[in-house]
Amino acid sequence: KVNEGFKPLMQNLNHERMVIAMQAIRQSRLCIQNAVEFARSRKTFGKPLISNQVIRHKIAEMARLTESCFSFAETLAFQLENGVKNEIAGSMALLKVMSSKTFELCAREASQIIGGSSYTREGKGQEVERLYREVRSYAIPGGSEEILMDFAMKASKL
């Protein structure tokens, strides 16, 4: 119908944004996994790196944000599955922003924990190096973070 093309476009973007968000959540979990494995195996001053409170807090923050994203994604997936489509475009935009920002934080913190090895494409830090390099490829598709934040606020009619 004339002048009603925006609704189907937003519904298709809901699916795309959900896929990107779930991929970013998975990548965040990989960052956490790599950081934990490294921190358990790396010894500093005769103790495992993970025995340092600051390292555990970094990992806890990564987990807190990642699990929050996953919970938000499950809620929106349930709504999509039960026929809610038009009303969640703003929330879907926020999920995509939240998950890409969480992935960026997790990649940065995992890199901090792993240290110099996370800069090389070989060795113990190679997966985190790749993940850190790919962060921006989750922030831009489906709408950049700034555009999606503005869209979400407009959708909420503030």
Side-chain angles (χ1 to χ4, degrees):
K1 295 179 183 179
V2 176
N3 294 326
E4 291 189 18
F6 191 68
K7 280 184 184 177
L9 178 64
M10 286 299 105
Q11 288 176 359
N12 285 339
L13 285 174
N14 280 344
H15 177 74
E16 178 184 7
R17 290 174 181 150
M18 175 63 86
V19 169
I20 293 167
M22 292 306 295
Q23 289 173 334
I25 292 166
R26 176 64 187 133
Q27 303 298 50
S28 296
R29 286 180 171 168
L30 281 174
C31 289
I32 295 167
Q33 178 183 341
N34 277 272
V36 168
E37 287 173 2
F38 182 85
R40 283 182 177 158
S41 67
R42 176 79 165 107
K43 300 269 193 249
T44 57
F45 305 106
K47 300 185 306 186
L49 184 59
I50 202 157
S51 68
N52 292 295
Q53 184 181 34
V54 70
I55 300 299
R56 292 191 309 272
H57 282 197
K58 283 178 179 290
I59 293 168
E61 182 67 3
M62 292 162 55
R64 180 184 69 82
L65 291 170
T66 301
E67 293 310 308
S68 295
C69 287
F70 185 71
S71 179
F72 190 17
E74 279 188 317
T75 299
L76 292 178
F78 179 82
Q79 290 177 0
L80 278 174
E81 192 68 24
N82 288 287
V84 179
K85 292 193 182 352
N86 297 331
E87 301 85 4
I88 64 167
S91 293
M92 195 65 74
L94 290 177
L95 170 65
K96 194 264 181 180
V97 170
M98 186 172 150
S99 61
S100 65
K101 284 181 177 272
T102 296
F103 176 30
E104 187 169 16
L105 179 133
C106 289
R108 184 184 69 237
E109 294 298 338
S111 181
Q112 282 292 116
I113 291 168
I114 294 171
S117 295
S118 68
Y119 287 94
T120 61
R121 293 188 180 185
E122 298 174 351
K124 291 182 177 184
Q126 68 181 351
E127 190 167 29
V128 170
E129 185 277 331
R130 178 186 58 80
L131 291 167
Y132 206 3
R133 200 170 4 103
E134 293 176 357
V135 164
R136 299 312 301 160
S137 67
Y138 289 86
I140 297 168
S144 69
E145 293 168 348
E146 298 81 6
I147 298 298
L148 291 180
M149 296 282 276
D150 188 53
F151 169 74
M153 290 302 94
K154 287 178 181 176
S156 70
K157 297 179 175 64
L158 291 178

